[in-house]
Protein backbone atom coordinates (compact mmCIF):
# COMPACT_ATOMS: atom_id res chain seq x y z
CA UNK A 1 0.00 0.00 0.00
CA UNK A 2 1.44 3.41 -0.86
CA UNK A 3 1.59 6.24 1.68
CA UNK A 4 -1.31 8.19 0.20
CA UNK A 5 -3.68 5.18 0.11
CA UNK A 6 -2.71 4.44 3.69
CA UNK A 7 -3.46 8.07 4.68
CA UNK A 8 -6.91 7.93 3.06
CA UNK A 9 -7.89 4.79 4.98
CA UNK A 10 -7.76 6.83 8.18
CA UNK A 11 -10.22 9.29 6.67
CA UNK A 12 -12.60 6.51 5.64
CA UNK A 13 -12.40 5.00 9.10
CA UNK A 14 -13.35 8.31 10.76
CA UNK A 15 -16.12 8.95 8.21
CA UNK A 16 -18.01 5.94 9.60
CA UNK A 17 -18.76 8.03 12.69
CA UNK A 18 -20.05 11.14 10.91
CA UNK A 19 -22.78 11.67 8.35
CA UNK A 20 -20.63 12.72 5.42
CA UNK A 21 -22.03 12.81 1.87
CA UNK A 22 -20.10 10.50 -0.41
CA UNK A 23 -19.26 13.28 -2.84
CA UNK A 24 -17.65 15.26 -0.01
CA UNK A 25 -15.58 12.31 1.12
CA UNK A 26 -14.47 11.92 -2.48
CA UNK A 27 -13.54 15.64 -2.61
CA UNK A 28 -11.39 15.24 0.51
CA UNK A 29 -9.73 12.18 -1.01
CA UNK A 30 -8.21 13.96 -4.02
CA UNK A 31 -5.97 17.01 -4.17
CA UNK A 32 -7.36 20.14 -5.79
CA UNK A 33 -4.18 20.81 -7.74
CA UNK A 34 -0.85 19.06 -8.17
CA UNK A 35 2.06 20.93 -9.69
CA UNK A 36 5.23 19.31 -10.97
CA UNK A 37 8.09 21.51 -12.12
CA UNK A 38 11.21 20.32 -13.88
CA UNK A 39 13.99 22.81 -14.29
CA UNK A 40 17.70 23.01 -15.02
CA UNK A 41 20.16 24.05 -12.32
CA UNK A 42 23.63 25.23 -13.26
CA UNK A 43 26.08 23.79 -10.72
CA UNK A 44 29.24 25.58 -9.53
CA UNK A 45 31.21 23.22 -11.77
CA UNK A 46 29.31 24.51 -14.83
CA UNK A 47 27.45 21.17 -15.19
CA UNK A 48 23.70 21.32 -15.67
CA UNK A 49 21.37 19.15 -13.57
CA UNK A 50 17.65 18.62 -14.20
CA UNK A 51 15.72 18.90 -10.96
CA UNK A 52 12.10 17.94 -10.18
CA UNK A 53 10.01 19.89 -7.70
CA UNK A 54 6.42 19.50 -6.52
CA UNK A 55 3.69 21.55 -4.89
CA UNK A 56 0.41 19.94 -3.94
CA UNK A 57 -2.45 22.33 -3.19
CA UNK A 58 -4.59 19.76 -1.50
CA UNK A 59 -7.63 21.61 -0.25
CA UNK A 60 -8.50 25.21 0.65
CA UNK A 61 -11.95 24.90 2.23
CA UNK A 62 -10.69 26.41 5.48
CA UNK A 63 -8.35 29.03 4.00
CA UNK A 64 -5.21 29.45 1.84
CA UNK A 65 -3.23 26.25 1.17
CA UNK A 66 -0.56 25.91 3.87
CA UNK A 67 2.27 23.47 4.37
CA UNK A 68 6.00 22.95 4.33
CA UNK A 69 8.58 22.55 1.64
CA UNK A 70 10.90 19.54 1.87
CA UNK A 71 14.30 19.08 0.17
CA UNK A 72 15.11 15.36 0.07
CA UNK A 73 16.41 12.92 -2.57
CA UNK A 74 13.36 10.66 -2.10
CA UNK A 75 10.66 13.34 -2.42
CA UNK A 76 7.95 12.22 -4.85
CA UNK A 77 4.36 13.11 -5.75
CA UNK A 78 2.81 10.33 -3.63
CA UNK A 79 4.68 11.57 -0.56
CA UNK A 80 3.87 15.25 -1.16
CA UNK A 81 0.18 14.42 -1.75
CA UNK A 82 0.05 12.55 1.57
CA UNK A 83 1.78 15.41 3.36
CA UNK A 84 -0.69 17.90 1.82
CA UNK A 85 -3.61 15.72 2.92
CA UNK A 86 -2.26 15.55 6.49
CA UNK A 87 -1.92 19.36 6.50
CA UNK A 88 -5.61 19.71 5.61
CA UNK A 89 -6.53 17.43 8.55
CA UNK A 90 -4.01 19.05 10.91
CA UNK A 91 -5.09 22.64 10.23
CA UNK A 92 -8.71 21.67 10.80
CA UNK A 93 -7.84 20.07 14.17
CA UNK A 94 -5.70 23.06 15.19
CA UNK A 95 -8.66 25.27 14.24
CA UNK A 96 -6.63 27.68 12.14
CA UNK A 97 -7.94 29.28 8.93
CA UNK A 98 -5.71 27.43 6.48
CA UNK A 99 -6.16 24.60 4.04
CA UNK A 100 -3.65 21.86 3.28
CA UNK A 101 -0.65 22.00 0.98
CA UNK A 102 2.90 20.70 0.76
CA UNK A 103 5.87 20.87 -1.55
CA UNK A 104 9.21 19.34 -2.12
CA UNK A 105 12.30 19.23 -4.29
CA UNK A 106 13.92 15.91 -5.16
CA UNK A 107 17.46 16.77 -4.14
CA UNK A 108 20.02 16.06 -1.43
CA UNK A 109 20.81 19.58 -0.21
CA UNK A 110 23.88 18.30 1.63
CA UNK A 111 25.49 17.74 -1.77
CA UNK A 112 24.98 21.37 -2.84
CA UNK A 113 27.10 24.41 -2.07
CA UNK A 114 25.34 27.32 -0.36
CA UNK A 115 25.36 29.20 -3.68
CA UNK A 116 23.73 26.26 -5.48
CA UNK A 117 21.13 25.88 -2.72
CA UNK A 118 20.16 29.55 -2.98
CA UNK A 119 20.01 29.37 -6.78
CA UNK A 120 17.81 26.26 -6.62
CA UNK A 121 15.45 27.85 -4.09
CA UNK A 122 15.11 31.06 -6.11
CA UNK A 123 14.51 29.14 -9.35
CA UNK A 124 11.81 27.00 -7.74
CA UNK A 125 10.18 30.12 -6.25
CA UNK A 126 10.22 31.87 -9.62
CA UNK A 127 8.36 28.94 -11.18
CA UNK A 128 5.85 28.91 -8.31
CA UNK A 129 5.12 32.66 -8.18
CA UNK A 130 1.76 32.46 -10.04
CA UNK A 131 0.57 29.80 -7.60
CA UNK A 132 1.67 31.07 -4.17
CA UNK A 133 0.85 34.20 -2.16
CA UNK A 134 -0.49 35.26 1.28
CA UNK A 135 -4.12 34.52 0.31
CA UNK A 136 -3.39 31.62 -2.04
CA UNK A 137 -0.69 29.27 -0.76
CA UNK A 138 1.84 29.88 2.03
CA UNK A 139 4.85 27.51 2.22
CA UNK A 140 6.96 26.88 5.37
CA UNK A 141 10.02 24.84 6.42
CA UNK A 142 10.06 21.04 6.60
CA UNK A 143 12.76 18.38 6.30
CA UNK A 144 16.10 19.95 5.26
CA UNK A 145 14.68 23.46 4.86
CA UNK A 146 15.06 26.30 7.35
CA UNK A 147 14.60 30.03 7.97
CA UNK A 148 17.40 30.97 5.57
CA UNK A 149 15.64 29.13 2.72
CA UNK A 150 12.31 30.75 3.67
CA UNK A 151 14.01 34.18 3.59
CA UNK A 152 15.24 33.49 0.03
CA UNK A 153 11.70 32.50 -1.04
CA UNK A 154 10.23 35.68 0.48
CA UNK A 155 12.92 37.81 -1.11
CA UNK A 156 12.56 36.26 -4.58
CA UNK A 157 8.75 36.40 -4.50
CA UNK A 158 8.77 40.07 -3.35
CA UNK A 159 11.31 40.96 -6.05
CA UNK A 160 9.23 39.37 -8.81
CA UNK A 161 5.85 40.82 -7.75
CA UNK A 162 7.49 44.21 -7.07
CA UNK A 163 6.14 44.53 -3.52
CA UNK A 164 7.52 43.41 -0.16
CA UNK A 165 5.31 40.44 0.76
CA UNK A 166 6.46 38.93 4.05
CA UNK A 167 3.31 36.80 4.47
CA UNK A 168 4.03 34.70 1.36
CA UNK A 169 5.98 32.24 3.49
CA UNK A 170 6.35 31.45 7.20
CA UNK A 171 9.28 30.15 9.23
CA UNK A 172 11.43 33.13 8.15
CA UNK A 173 14.25 34.44 10.32
CA UNK A 174 13.06 36.77 13.09
CA UNK A 175 14.97 39.69 11.54
CA UNK A 176 13.09 39.18 8.28
CA UNK A 177 9.51 39.06 9.58
CA UNK A 178 9.67 35.61 11.18
CA UNK A 179 7.83 35.00 14.44
CA UNK A 180 9.59 34.66 17.76
CA UNK A 181 9.21 31.07 18.89
CA UNK A 182 8.58 29.63 15.37
CA UNK A 183 11.83 27.70 15.21
CA UNK A 184 11.04 25.68 18.34
CA UNK A 185 7.23 25.77 17.91
CA UNK A 186 6.73 22.20 16.70
CA UNK A 187 8.77 20.85 19.61
CA UNK A 188 7.09 23.20 22.09
CA UNK A 189 3.62 22.32 20.82
CA UNK A 190 4.46 18.61 21.14
CA UNK A 191 5.59 19.11 24.73
CA UNK A 192 2.36 21.00 25.62
CA UNK A 193 0.31 18.19 24.09
CA UNK A 194 2.33 15.47 25.87
CA UNK A 195 1.80 17.20 29.22
CA UNK A 196 -1.97 17.05 28.65
CA UNK A 197 -1.80 13.35 27.86
CA UNK A 198 0.29 12.55 30.93
CA UNK A 199 -2.25 14.40 33.09
CA UNK A 200 -5.18 12.50 31.58
CA UNK A 201 -3.43 9.16 32.05
CA UNK A 202 -2.30 10.03 35.60
CA UNK A 203 1.35 9.16 34.79
CA UNK A 204 4.16 10.41 37.01
CA UNK A 205 7.56 11.71 35.85
CA UNK A 206 10.31 10.85 35.27
CA UNK A 207 9.22 8.89 32.21
CA UNK A 208 11.75 7.42 29.79
CA UNK A 209 11.67 8.68 26.20
CA UNK A 210 13.37 7.64 22.93
CA UNK A 211 13.42 10.20 20.10
CA UNK A 212 14.15 9.20 16.49
CA UNK A 213 15.38 12.17 14.43
CA UNK A 214 17.40 15.06 15.82
CA UNK A 215 16.63 17.88 13.39
CA UNK A 216 14.43 20.89 14.06
CA UNK A 217 11.56 18.87 15.48
CA UNK A 218 13.35 16.04 17.30
CA UNK A 219 16.11 18.11 18.89
CA UNK A 220 13.85 20.92 20.12
CA UNK A 221 11.26 18.47 21.43
CA UNK A 222 13.97 16.43 23.21
CA UNK A 223 15.51 19.56 24.74
CA UNK A 224 12.19 20.92 26.00
CA UNK A 225 11.04 17.65 27.58
CA UNK A 226 14.51 17.11 29.09
CA UNK A 227 14.18 20.50 30.81
CA UNK A 228 10.76 19.50 32.08
CA UNK A 229 11.62 16.32 33.94
CA UNK A 230 11.54 13.56 31.30
CA UNK A 231 14.49 11.16 30.95
CA UNK A 232 15.49 11.21 27.28
CA UNK A 233 17.38 7.91 27.14
CA UNK A 234 17.84 7.58 23.37
CA UNK A 235 18.19 9.94 20.40
CA UNK A 236 19.20 9.32 16.80
CA UNK A 237 19.87 10.99 13.48
CA UNK A 238 20.23 9.57 9.99
CA UNK A 239 23.57 7.96 10.92
CA UNK A 240 22.27 6.15 14.03
CA UNK A 241 21.78 6.88 17.69
CA UNK A 242 22.93 6.77 21.29
CA UNK A 243 21.25 4.95 24.18
CA UNK A 244 21.71 5.41 27.90
CA UNK A 245 20.78 1.97 29.19
CA UNK A 246 21.20 3.18 32.78
CA UNK A 247 17.96 5.09 32.10
CA UNK A 248 18.94 8.38 33.78
CA UNK A 249 18.82 10.14 30.42
CA UNK A 250 21.08 12.43 28.41
CA UNK A 251 21.79 16.10 29.00
CA UNK A 252 20.11 17.20 25.77
CA UNK A 253 21.53 20.74 25.93
CA UNK A 254 25.01 19.24 25.74
CA UNK A 255 24.02 16.60 23.16
CA UNK A 256 22.61 19.38 20.95
CA UNK A 257 25.72 21.55 21.07
CA UNK A 258 27.94 18.47 20.60
CA UNK A 259 25.97 17.46 17.48
CA UNK A 260 26.16 21.02 16.16
CA UNK A 261 29.93 20.88 16.55
CA UNK A 262 30.52 17.34 15.21
CA UNK A 263 27.68 17.13 12.69
CA UNK A 264 26.42 13.76 14.00
CA UNK A 265 25.27 12.21 17.27
CA UNK A 266 27.48 9.21 17.73
CA UNK A 267 30.21 11.11 19.60
CA UNK A 268 27.70 12.86 21.85
CA UNK A 269 27.15 10.56 24.80
CA UNK A 270 26.51 13.42 27.26
CA UNK A 271 25.49 12.43 30.77
CA UNK A 272 25.43 15.09 33.52
CA UNK A 273 27.93 17.74 32.50
CA UNK A 274 30.28 15.47 30.54
CA UNK A 275 30.23 14.34 26.90
CA UNK A 276 32.16 11.29 25.93
CA UNK A 277 32.87 9.28 22.83
CA UNK A 278 30.02 6.81 22.47
CA UNK A 279 32.38 4.09 21.35
CA UNK A 280 33.67 3.86 24.93
CA UNK A 281 30.21 2.51 25.74
CA UNK A 282 29.84 -0.26 23.18
CA UNK A 283 26.24 -0.88 24.18
CA UNK A 284 25.49 2.85 23.96
CA UNK A 285 25.41 2.92 20.17
CA UNK A 286 22.19 1.89 18.47
CA UNK A 287 20.70 1.83 15.01
CA UNK A 288 17.50 3.66 14.10
CA UNK A 289 15.70 0.31 13.91
CA UNK A 290 16.85 -0.64 17.42
CA UNK A 291 15.78 2.71 18.83
CA UNK A 292 12.18 2.05 17.80
CA UNK A 293 12.09 -1.19 19.80
CA UNK A 294 13.61 0.06 23.07
CA UNK A 295 11.84 -0.61 26.37
CA UNK A 296 10.83 3.01 27.09
CA UNK A 297 7.64 4.68 28.29
CA UNK A 298 7.36 6.99 25.29
CA UNK A 299 8.60 6.48 21.73
CA UNK A 300 8.83 9.61 19.59
CA UNK A 301 9.35 9.17 15.85
CA UNK A 302 10.51 12.63 14.69
CA UNK A 303 12.26 11.92 11.36
CA UNK A 304 10.41 10.54 8.35
CA UNK A 305 7.23 8.63 7.46
CA UNK A 306 6.60 4.86 7.44
CA UNK A 307 9.12 3.83 10.11
CA UNK A 308 6.65 1.85 12.25
CA UNK A 309 5.30 -0.84 9.94
CA UNK A 310 3.69 -4.26 10.15
CA UNK A 311 7.25 -5.66 10.26
CA UNK A 312 8.32 -4.03 13.53
CA UNK A 313 5.03 -2.97 15.21
CA UNK A 314 4.86 -6.21 17.22
CA UNK A 315 8.28 -5.44 18.70
CA UNK A 316 7.42 -1.95 19.92
CA UNK A 317 7.68 -1.94 23.71
CA UNK A 318 6.79 1.68 24.47
CA UNK A 319 3.45 2.37 26.19
CA UNK A 320 2.93 5.55 24.16
CA UNK A 321 3.90 6.36 20.56
CA UNK A 322 3.98 10.13 20.23
CA UNK A 323 4.17 11.04 16.54
CA UNK A 324 6.22 14.19 16.00
CA UNK A 325 7.08 13.25 12.39
CA UNK A 326 4.36 13.24 9.75
CA UNK A 327 3.05 9.77 8.91
CA UNK A 328 5.57 7.64 10.86
CA UNK A 329 3.09 4.78 11.43
CA UNK A 330 1.55 2.82 8.56
CA UNK A 331 -2.13 1.87 8.53
CA UNK A 332 -1.34 -1.81 9.14
CA UNK A 333 0.97 -0.97 12.04
CA UNK A 334 -1.78 1.14 13.64
CA UNK A 335 -3.96 -1.95 13.98
CA UNK A 336 -1.14 -3.92 15.61
CA UNK A 337 -0.30 -1.14 18.09
CA UNK A 338 -3.99 -0.81 18.96
CA UNK A 339 -4.27 -4.52 19.74
CA UNK A 340 -1.20 -4.27 21.97
CA UNK A 341 -2.89 -1.44 23.91
CA UNK A 342 -0.24 1.09 22.90
CA UNK A 343 -1.57 4.66 22.91
CA UNK A 344 -0.72 6.50 19.69
CA UNK A 345 -0.89 10.29 19.74
CA UNK A 346 -1.28 11.09 16.04
CA UNK A 347 0.93 13.41 14.03
CA UNK A 348 -2.01 15.61 13.04
CA UNK A 349 -2.37 16.58 16.69
CA UNK A 350 1.10 16.10 18.22
CA UNK A 351 3.10 18.15 15.70
CA UNK A 352 0.57 20.90 14.99
CA UNK A 353 2.51 23.49 17.03
CA UNK A 354 4.64 24.39 14.00
CA UNK A 355 1.78 25.33 11.71
CA UNK A 356 -0.01 27.03 14.60
CA UNK A 357 2.89 29.43 15.14
CA UNK A 358 3.21 29.74 11.34
CA UNK A 359 -0.36 31.05 11.45
CA UNK A 360 0.68 33.53 14.17
CA UNK A 361 3.58 34.63 11.93
CA UNK A 362 1.24 35.13 8.98
CA UNK A 363 -1.12 37.18 11.22
CA UNK A 364 1.78 39.34 12.46
CA UNK A 365 2.96 39.96 8.89
CA UNK A 366 -0.55 40.82 7.66
CA UNK A 367 -1.08 43.26 10.54
CA UNK A 368 2.45 44.60 10.61
CA UNK A 369 2.92 43.45 14.21
CA UNK A 370 5.65 41.73 16.17
CA UNK A 371 4.46 39.62 19.11
CA UNK A 372 6.55 38.93 22.20
CA UNK A 373 7.69 35.34 22.82
CA UNK A 374 5.35 35.24 25.84
CA UNK A 375 2.36 36.13 23.65
CA UNK A 376 3.32 33.51 21.04
CA UNK A 377 3.75 30.79 23.67
CA UNK A 378 0.56 31.70 25.54
CA UNK A 379 -1.48 31.52 22.34
CA UNK A 380 0.24 28.28 21.34
CA UNK A 381 -0.54 26.75 24.73
CA UNK A 382 -4.19 27.60 24.49
CA UNK A 383 -4.46 26.28 20.89
CA UNK A 384 -2.67 22.99 21.72
CA UNK A 385 -4.70 22.44 24.88
CA UNK A 386 -8.01 23.13 23.14
CA UNK A 387 -7.15 20.78 20.27
CA UNK A 388 -6.04 18.05 22.67
CA UNK A 389 -9.17 18.44 24.84
CA UNK A 390 -11.51 18.24 21.86
CA UNK A 391 -9.79 15.14 20.47
CA UNK A 392 -9.78 13.54 23.93
CA UNK A 393 -13.53 14.16 24.37
CA UNK A 394 -14.32 12.45 21.07
CA UNK A 395 -11.98 9.58 22.02
CA UNK A 396 -13.90 9.07 25.30
CA UNK A 397 -17.31 9.70 23.87
CA UNK A 398 -17.10 7.49 20.78
CA UNK A 399 -14.65 4.96 22.26
CA UNK A 400 -12.24 5.31 19.36
CA UNK A 401 -8.47 5.66 19.41
CA UNK A 402 -6.89 9.12 19.39
CA UNK A 403 -6.12 9.05 15.65
CA UNK A 404 -9.70 8.27 14.68
CA UNK A 405 -10.92 10.88 17.18
CA UNK A 406 -8.62 13.50 15.64
CA UNK A 407 -9.86 12.68 12.13
CA UNK A 408 -13.49 12.85 13.31
CA UNK A 409 -12.83 16.35 14.69
CA UNK A 410 -11.25 17.38 11.37
CA UNK A 411 -14.21 16.00 9.43
CA UNK A 412 -16.61 17.91 11.66
CA UNK A 413 -14.75 21.18 11.03
CA UNK A 414 -14.38 20.59 7.28
CA UNK A 415 -18.01 19.58 6.80
CA UNK A 416 -19.23 22.74 8.56
CA UNK A 417 -17.90 24.47 5.47
CA UNK A 418 -20.21 22.58 3.12
CA UNK A 419 -23.21 24.03 4.92
CA UNK A 420 -21.99 27.54 4.29
CA UNK A 421 -21.76 27.12 0.54
P1 LIG B 1 15.02 18.14 9.76
O1 LIG B 1 15.54 18.06 8.39
O2 LIG B 1 15.35 19.34 10.57
O3 LIG B 1 15.48 16.85 10.59
C1 LIG B 1 15.27 15.53 10.18
C2 LIG B 1 16.03 14.60 11.13
O4 LIG B 1 15.74 13.24 10.79
C3 LIG B 1 17.55 14.75 11.07
O5 LIG B 1 18.07 14.58 12.36
C4 LIG B 1 17.97 13.57 10.20
O6 LIG B 1 19.30 13.15 10.47
C5 LIG B 1 16.96 12.53 10.63
N1 LIG B 1 16.76 11.47 9.64
C6 LIG B 1 16.67 11.61 8.30
N2 LIG B 1 16.50 10.39 7.72
C7 LIG B 1 16.45 9.51 8.74
C8 LIG B 1 16.29 8.11 8.82
N3 LIG B 1 16.15 7.38 7.71
N4 LIG B 1 16.29 7.53 10.05
C9 LIG B 1 16.42 8.29 11.15
N5 LIG B 1 16.60 9.60 11.15
C10 LIG B 1 16.61 10.20 9.96
O7 LIG B 1 13.43 17.95 9.64
P2 LIG B 1 12.32 18.39 10.68
O8 LIG B 1 11.82 19.73 10.28
O9 LIG B 1 12.82 18.15 12.06
O10 LIG B 1 11.15 17.36 10.32
C11 LIG B 1 11.09 16.05 10.90
C12 LIG B 1 9.67 15.52 10.77
O11 LIG B 1 8.76 16.42 11.41
C13 LIG B 1 9.16 15.38 9.33
O12 LIG B 1 8.27 14.30 9.27
C14 LIG B 1 8.39 16.67 9.12
O13 LIG B 1 7.43 16.58 8.10
C15 LIG B 1 7.76 16.82 10.48
N6 LIG B 1 7.31 18.17 10.83
C16 LIG B 1 8.15 19.25 10.75
C17 LIG B 1 7.69 20.49 11.14
C18 LIG B 1 8.58 21.70 11.18
O14 LIG B 1 8.11 22.75 11.66
N7 LIG B 1 9.82 21.63 10.73
C19 LIG B 1 6.37 20.64 11.58
C20 LIG B 1 5.54 19.52 11.66
C21 LIG B 1 6.03 18.29 11.28
Amino acid sequence: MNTFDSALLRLKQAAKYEKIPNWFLRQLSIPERTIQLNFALKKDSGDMEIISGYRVQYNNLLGPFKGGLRFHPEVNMDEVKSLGFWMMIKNAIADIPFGGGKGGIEIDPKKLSEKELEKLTRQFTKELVPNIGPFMDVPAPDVNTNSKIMDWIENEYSRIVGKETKAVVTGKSVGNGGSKGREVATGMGGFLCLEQLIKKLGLKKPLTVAVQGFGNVGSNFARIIFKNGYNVVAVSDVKGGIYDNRKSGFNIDLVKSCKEEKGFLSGCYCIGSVCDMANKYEDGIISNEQLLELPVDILVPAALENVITKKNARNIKAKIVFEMANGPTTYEADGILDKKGIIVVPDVLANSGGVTVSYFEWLQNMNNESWSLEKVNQNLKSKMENAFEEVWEIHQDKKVNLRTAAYILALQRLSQKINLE
Side-chain angles (χ1 to χ4, degrees):
M1 196 185 310
N2 67 27
T3 305
F4 187 58
D5 290 340
S6 171
L8 289 184
L9 285 174
R10 267 75 177 250
L11 182 74
K12 286 198 185 123
Q13 192 150 357
K16 290 184 198 151
Y17 296 86
E18 289 293 304
K19 282 200 181 103
I20 307 286
N22 269 342
W23 70 265
F24 188 57
L25 205 54
R26 173 94 186 109
Q27 182 182 359
L28 300 182
S29 306
I30 42 175
E32 261 175 48
R33 190 187 297 158
T34 57
I35 302 165
Q36 178 167 357
L37 302 161
N38 303 303
F39 52 94
L41 176 74
K42 188 170 186 184
K43 307 287 286 292
D44 294 346
S45 61
D47 291 345
M48 300 299 288
E49 192 174 328
I50 303 300
I51 313 270
S52 294
Y54 309 86
R55 185 78 191 164
V56 170
Q57 299 184 325
Y58 198 89
N59 183 291
N60 63 356
L61 267 178
L62 299 179
F65 303 106
K66 180 91 189 85
L69 196 57
R70 172 177 292 196
F71 289 0
H72 194 275
E74 276 148 39
V75 161
N76 58 69
M77 190 55 100
D78 176 65
E79 179 184 64
V80 181
K81 246 169 37 180
S82 313
L83 289 160
F85 166 82
W86 287 320
M87 288 309 296
M88 168 186 75
I89 300 290
K90 191 185 303 183
N91 293 339
I93 294 166
D95 202 13
I96 54 181
F98 282 129
K102 202 79 179 195
I105 302 185
E106 206 181 316
I107 188 93
D108 183 353
K110 292 185 184 88
K111 293 191 178 144
L112 298 182
S113 69
E114 168 115 350
K115 200 172 138 207
E116 289 168 337
L117 189 61
E118 178 170 354
K119 211 194 279 178
L120 168 82
T121 306
R122 288 184 184 276
Q123 255 178 276
F124 186 62
T125 307
K126 198 166 136 199
E127 302 283 342
L128 272 185
V129 163
N131 295 300
I132 59 173
F135 293 107
M136 198 189 299
D137 183 354
V138 186
D142 192 71
V143 173
N144 290 331
T145 55
N146 53 24
S147 56
K148 191 191 276 181
I149 294 176
M150 297 305 119
D151 287 350
W152 289 332
I153 297 177
E154 179 279 316
N155 180 270
E156 187 66 14
Y157 181 90
S158 297
R159 193 183 65 75
I160 294 170
V161 300
K163 183 175 185 294
E164 190 182 82
T165 315
K166 297 286 180 205
V168 64
V169 70
T170 58
K172 301 177 292 291
S173 62
V174 175
N176 186 41
S179 177
K180 296 189 182 82
R182 172 61 185 91
E183 203 175 332
V184 301
T186 311
M188 177 60 83
F191 159 69
L192 294 167
C193 181
L194 181 60
E195 290 281 282
Q196 292 301 103
L197 178 78
I198 298 307
K199 236 189 268 168
K200 292 281 184 204
L201 299 176
L203 296 175
K204 295 268 167 298
K205 293 183 211 169
L207 296 162
T208 53
V209 188
V211 182
Q212 184 192 56
F214 206 71
N216 174 299
V217 175
S219 71
N220 284 310
F221 178 79
R223 193 178 47 80
I224 295 167
I225 63 168
F226 155 69
K227 288 197 175 299
N228 284 279
Y230 294 80
N231 287 0
V232 183
V233 298
V235 287
S236 69
D237 59 22
V238 69
K239 293 192 174 155
I242 46 174
Y243 175 43
D244 169 26
N245 57 8
R246 291 166 296 181
K247 303 280 169 70
S248 59
F250 293 112
N251 178 338
I252 301 294
D253 276 339
L254 289 187
V255 171
K256 205 167 181 236
S257 38
C258 171
K259 156 132 184 154
E260 270 156 20
E261 197 185 305
K262 288 185 197 295
F264 44 86
L265 279 171
S266 67
C268 300
Y269 197 95
C270 307
I271 301 278
S273 57
V274 184
C275 290
D276 222 326
M277 289 307 287
N279 58 11
K280 278 196 190 161
Y281 303 88
E282 279 292 305
D283 55 353
I285 303 170
I286 48 165
S287 68
N288 270 296
E289 292 71 30
Q290 287 171 318
L291 180 140
L292 295 171
E293 298 178 10
L294 288 174
V296 288
D297 296 310
I298 307 168
L299 171 65
V300 185
L304 294 176
E305 52 270 19
N306 300 333
V307 292
I308 303 177
T309 65
K310 62 181 178 193
K311 284 197 189 129
N312 62 1
R314 280 183 193 81
N315 305 331
I316 303 284
K317 295 173 196 71
K319 299 177 191 75
I320 298 168
V321 171
F322 195 82
E323 296 184 337
M324 289 301 287
N326 284 310
T329 311
T330 65
Y331 181 78
E332 293 101 330
D334 248 354
I336 299 170
L337 298 181
D338 238 5
K339 278 202 191 115
K340 286 179 64 136
I342 296 174
I343 297 170
V344 179
V345 182
D347 48 4
V348 287
L349 173 65
N351 72 28
S352 62
V355 73
T356 300
V357 176
S358 269
Y359 167 54
F360 300 157
E361 179 173 330
W362 181 85
L363 271 183
Q364 292 171 68
N365 293 158
M366 298 302 277
N367 298 320
N368 215 2
E369 289 176 359
S370 172
W371 296 3
S372 66
L373 183 59
E374 289 68 36
K375 181 170 173 177
V376 170
N377 282 338
Q378 246 170 28
N379 281 286
L380 175 62
K381 186 167 189 287
S382 114
K383 278 280 189 201
M384 293 303 302
E385 290 182 356
N386 288 345
F388 182 87
E389 198 54 49
E390 288 185 82
V391 170
W392 188 263
E393 265 175 36
I394 297 173
H395 155 69
Q396 298 281 70
D397 193 40
K398 299 200 188 281
K399 311 223 171 331
V400 292
N401 65 27
L402 289 171
R403 191 184 316 275
T404 305
Y407 275 67
I408 291 174
L409 177 62
L411 273 177
Q412 290 171 349
R413 295 241 162 88
L414 287 159
S415 47
Q416 274 163 13
K417 278 284 171 185
I418 333 178
N419 301 332
L420 296 177
E421 284 174 359

